[in-house]
Amino acid sequence: MKTMLENAKAAKARVCNLTCEEKNEALIAMAEALTAHEEAILAANARDLEAAAGSVSPVMLDRLRLTPDRISAMARGIREVAALPDPVGEILEEHTRPDGLNIRKVAVPMGVIAIIYESRPNVTSDAAALALKSGNVCVLRGGKEAFRSANAIVEALREGLTRQGIPEAAVNLVQDTSRASAEALMTANGYIDLLIPRGGAGLINACLRTATVPCIATGTGICHVYVEKTADLDMALAIVENAKTSRPSVCNAEEVLLVDRAIAPEFLPMLLGRIGGKVELRLDEEAQAIIPGTPAGEKDFDTEFLDYILAVKCVENVEEAVAHISAHSTGHSEAIVTRSPEAERYFTANVDSAAVYVNASTRFTDGGEFGLGCEMGISTQKLHARGPMGLRELTTYKYIVHGSGHIR
């Protein structure tokens, strides 16, 4: 670990001074190498899947699984990052003082970014691409379930880097998947400029408790959809179905449905007919009186299920819906389905989450869907970065001040 961190730190000066053209050429080479090594990556992933079978849920196995289409999508994501504007060197603000002193606020790379993540192999290529384009070195520490896959991906990416004359230490993968290696990154002061944990509540809380290096928490997603009494019910059904079932194992999937009492007798039977065959509905007492389902337990409105499970609650109005979200949300993504401008205004003004939707699914909280190419994670905190973290969020800034012999 120490050798890896020293090599990463040594590569920082070279990487942060790469031109936009050099970075883009390297990213294209990385995408080409990823595609060229598809067979080896799929073979490594097959070993990961075999080892994980029986110990994780089917939806988590799907999260781990790679296919030719998913590898093609990873390569496409890298190329999309190459096509994005380079944030490094951007003048964020500029002004000249009355005495002639010129002050510029300029975007610069963070330096060495460590990412601790769990069992999604595509995070490996996304993180490496975003780090390089923003002028940063990355140190990746994946979960043990996906280690073989991540290792094969990093080997391919490094081949692309070296082909362009960039040190392979620009992209690093920690070989030890024990808790000790994660804790070592959390306390690698002097080596790590920013730590980003990306995973479940256990991982994120461990980082927040232990980290002595700067840390941005990418939070868990207890995401809500609220169907307000004026909603188009067919639209609401489509949004709820998409938010819950399109990919339930991801952090932007819906976990809680709130329904106005005024429309619950009509809407809940429609919901049951639409998704009741594949989603377990965990109902509060009012909803149980309308449709059959599992009684909601004490913790069901505070759980990120990451599965085909949906907690359902009836509320009186938008004020009660917002109050419930304020009490139970993790600050990730919330949606309202409504035709009322007043309800929309109240909801968007008072829901304090990173992404707030009106008549759209929470599944859009994603770097690619936001036009960022891909993402390093979804930040649910408020300092420095919030929501999908793209290139700009992986830079900091410094002031460059020009004078002509100015003294104070």
Side-chain angles (χ1 to χ4, degrees):
M1 174 72 81
K2 185 178 180 184
T3 300
M4 176 181 290
L5 292 175
E6 288 172 346
N7 291 340
K9 186 175 181 178
K12 181 164 67 171
R14 170 82 172 106
V15 173
C16 76
N17 284 297
L18 292 171
T19 66
C20 181
E21 183 179 7
E22 287 174 323
K23 289 186 285 191
N24 290 343
E25 289 174 351
L27 288 166
I28 297 302
M30 289 161 65
E32 291 172 349
L34 196 66
T35 303
H37 287 267
E38 177 185 296
E39 187 175 336
I41 294 169
L42 288 175
N45 184 246
R47 293 194 294 274
D48 282 336
L49 289 168
E50 183 180 1
S55 61
V56 301
S57 69
V59 291
M60 297 308 287
L61 271 180
D62 179 66
R63 196 170 181 170
L64 174 60
R65 180 174 289 107
L66 288 175
T67 64
D69 284 346
R70 288 184 179 181
I71 292 175
S72 293
M74 290 159 60
R76 185 167 61 251
I78 296 174
R79 293 188 177 95
E80 288 171 355
V81 171
L84 292 171
D86 190 342
V88 178
E90 181 182 352
I91 299 173
L92 305 175
E93 296 177 19
E94 181 178 13
H95 64 281
T96 301
R97 301 289 296 150
D99 61 2
L101 200 66
N102 179 261
I103 301 174
R104 291 180 178 176
K105 184 179 181 181
V106 181
V108 296
M110 287 283 183
V112 178
I113 299 177
I115 306 97
I116 303 176
Y117 56 104
E118 294 176 339
S119 59
R120 292 179 65 185
N122 64 295
V123 174
T124 304
S125 60
D126 288 354
L130 288 169
L132 184 69
K133 183 63 181 267
S134 55
N136 296 293
V137 173
C138 66
V139 177
L140 308 170
R141 194 277 190 186
K144 63 181 180 181
E145 295 85 1
F147 175 74
R148 299 173 186 86
S149 306
N151 202 45
I153 292 167
V154 167
E155 286 179 359
L157 299 178
R158 283 182 144 196
E159 180 182 296
L161 285 172
T162 54
R163 195 186 306 160
Q164 297 300 313
I166 296 173
E168 65 177 17
V171 176
N172 306 275
L173 180 70
V174 176
Q175 299 294 300
D176 176 12
T177 58
S178 70
R179 183 175 297 179
S181 69
E183 292 178 352
L185 287 181
M186 297 176 202
T187 56
N189 297 75
Y191 293 100
I192 300 299
D193 296 293
L194 176 64
L195 171 66
I196 302 172
R198 179 171 175 174
L203 167 63
I204 293 163
N205 291 335
C207 285
L208 294 178
R209 285 194 306 269
T210 306
T212 57
V213 299
C215 181
I216 293 180
T218 59
T220 54
I222 300 179
C223 302
H224 297 73
V225 175
Y226 165 50
V227 182
E228 193 263 343
K229 61 179 177 288
T230 67
D232 178 317
L233 298 189
D234 289 329
M235 176 193 290
L237 283 174
I239 288 172
V240 171
E241 181 179 36
N242 176 262
K244 179 69 264 182
T245 69
S246 61
R247 201 167 182 195
S249 64
V250 293
C251 62
N252 58 22
E254 176 193 8
E255 304 291 15
V256 178
L257 171 65
L258 304 175
V259 182
D260 266 1
R261 289 190 180 96
I263 59 169
E266 180 181 3
F267 181 74
L268 291 180
M270 295 171 66
L271 177 74
L272 182 65
R274 184 74 167 253
I275 66 172
K278 57 184 172 181
V279 176
E280 179 187 347
L281 301 176
R282 297 193 180 173
L283 311 173
D284 76 345
E285 290 185 5
E286 290 185 58
Q288 288 177 61
I290 300 171
I291 58 172
T294 304
E298 182 180 344
K299 296 182 179 179
D300 282 336
F301 292 101
D302 296 293
T303 299
E304 186 182 31
F305 298 112
L306 301 175
D307 207 341
Y308 289 101
I309 301 170
L310 180 64
V312 180
K313 180 180 177 61
C314 296
V315 295
E316 178 63 27
N317 50 34
V318 65
E319 290 83 4
E320 186 179 346
V322 169
H324 178 91
I325 292 169
S326 297
H328 299 275
S329 171
T330 54
H332 193 293
S333 302
E334 330 296 346
I336 182 174
V337 187
T338 184
R339 286 183 286 199
S340 164
E342 293 77 16
E344 173 189 330
R345 280 194 293 270
Y346 186 89
F347 191 87
T348 56
N350 291 282
V351 169
D352 189 18
S353 293
V356 182
Y357 293 87
V358 179
N359 297 330
S361 170
T362 58
R363 289 280 286 111
F364 285 98
T365 308
D366 174 84
E369 296 295 336
F370 276 27
L372 307 178
C374 48
E375 71 189 35
M376 196 65 82
I378 309 292
S379 171
T380 54
Q381 65 184 47
K382 297 182 182 181
L383 293 179
H384 177 69
R386 195 180 196 191
M389 295 175 60
L391 295 172
R392 191 181 299 274
E393 288 72 30
L394 299 181
T395 63
T396 182
Y397 57 81
K398 64 184 175 186
Y399 288 96
I400 299 178
V401 184
H402 286 90
S404 53
H406 283 67
I407 59 174
R408 181 177 177 181

